[in-house]
Amino acid sequence: MSHVSLFSSPLLLGFDRVERMLDRVAKSANDGYPPYNIEQIGENSLRISLAVAGFTLDQLTVSLEDNQLTIRGEQIEEPGRVYLHRGIAARQFQRSFVIAEGIQVSAARLDNGLLHIELQRPKPASVTRNIEITNSQPNGGQAHSGAAQQIDATTVDPQ
């Protein structure tokens, strides 16, 4: 059975990247481990928190490729340990999030069994431009001929 794409219409050319992104999201949404929260902690700040109890710093990796944030955890079985009851499994996981253009990962920290990943959306700098107005009439007094001679652009810090 062949896969029929939603984006296979000839009117939707160039949307193959969106289709691949949706496929990645669908595949990563199937597993509920580890549980996570996403919270807004500021006007332009988000935090993803994953419950990774039992994992150490060297057993966790956080990577960002294109717009996909991937968190991996791999616990290694300790040889020689004898369990009478094993309710906490040493389990591997991979959790992926697709993040929007412009979002930056600012920090990742492990705190009391929770892995916190901080995300920031930087405010774009506001640009103000003063454009000289010229007179387009050839004998119009003291006007400059042709295009404007000077464009003054300044960048204003958003904070």
Side-chain angles (χ1 to χ4, degrees):
M1 182 175 176
S2 65
H3 172 70
V4 177
S5 170
L6 175 67
F7 298 99
S8 62
S9 168
L11 301 175
L12 296 174
L13 297 175
F15 284 91
D16 52 327
R17 181 177 169 199
V18 173
E19 182 179 19
R20 284 193 306 270
M21 186 175 6
L22 290 173
D23 285 342
R24 283 189 299 198
V25 169
K27 287 178 187 174
S28 67
N30 291 339
D31 188 16
Y33 181 79
Y36 65 93
N37 292 336
I38 300 175
E39 59 185 308
Q40 185 168 358
I41 57 174
E43 184 179 336
N44 293 313
S45 304
L46 298 172
R47 178 184 298 139
I48 300 172
S49 299
L50 285 88
V52 292
F55 285 87
T56 60
L57 284 174
D58 60 333
Q59 296 170 336
L60 296 167
T61 59
V62 178
S63 61
L64 181 63
E65 183 179 342
D66 296 325
N67 288 357
Q68 184 166 346
L69 176 67
T70 304
I71 300 101
R72 290 182 181 88
E74 182 176 352
Q75 288 182 323
I76 300 169
E77 292 285 332
E78 295 180 29
R81 278 188 110 163
V82 178
Y83 293 94
L84 299 178
H85 170 74
R86 180 119 190 221
I88 303 171
R91 170 173 187 184
Q92 297 181 25
F93 72 88
Q94 177 174 319
R95 172 70 73 178
S96 296
F97 301 89
V98 177
I99 61 175
E101 291 281 339
I103 298 286
Q104 299 173 349
V105 178
S106 60
R109 62 185 166 78
L110 185 61
D111 181 31
N112 294 326
L114 292 174
L115 176 62
H116 300 288
I117 301 166
E118 310 287 335
L119 305 171
Q120 298 287 322
R121 180 188 308 266
K123 289 185 178 180
S126 176
V127 177
T128 303
R129 294 177 52 194
N130 293 325
I131 302 169
E132 183 179 343
I133 302 171
T134 62
N135 190 344
S136 61
Q137 297 176 6
N139 295 330
Q142 301 172 356
H144 300 293
S145 61
Q149 293 180 348
Q150 177 184 8
I151 296 177
D152 179 24
T154 56
T155 302
V156 179
D157 189 12
Q159 295 171 347

